[in-house]
Amino acid sequence: MFYVGTYLEYKGKAIGSGSEGAQITLQEKYTPTLTLSQGQSLLLELLRLVMEENTLTSENMEMCCVTEAEGFHIYNAEELDTLIKEHAESK
């Protein structure tokens, strides 16, 4: 087979409105050794940075993760509210 194009590997990528600021923050704060909890906290920080609404709630965001142990998981509203509250308390 013959492939044409550019291959890029990303550990983290911001797209859409506000992506420039989010991408800079990702480049500054992302490390391959982040724990799941640290990654979730970084995600919430990025969302807070780029969202037009200043308040994160389970009503205005969705989140999922993929891990070896649990596979694909979509967070429900209660889980999101808990993560948001924990993130706010750690600031």
Side-chain angles (χ1 to χ4, degrees), residues 37-61:
S37 177
Q38 291 168 327
Q40 291 167 336
S41 184
L42 178 56
L43 170 68
L44 293 173
E45 180 181 337
L46 290 170
L47 285 174
R48 197 169 269 122
L49 174 73
V50 300
M51 287 180 65
E52 292 178 8
E53 298 177 39
N54 290 337
T55 305
L56 294 178
T57 69
S58 58
E59 297 291 318
N60 63 8
M61 65 170 281

Side-chain angles (χ1 to χ4, degrees), residues 3 8-9 17-18 25 31 33 35 41 44 50 53-55 57 61-64 69 71 73 81 83 85:
Y3 294 95
L8 300 171
E9 180 178 342
S17 151
T25 302
T31 66
T33 58
T35 64
S41 184
L44 293 173
V50 300
E53 298 177 39
N54 290 337
T55 305
T57 69
M61 65 170 281
E62 294 178 328
M63 189 165 91
C64 69
H73 175 72
D81 288 333
L83 285 172
K85 181 180 177 188

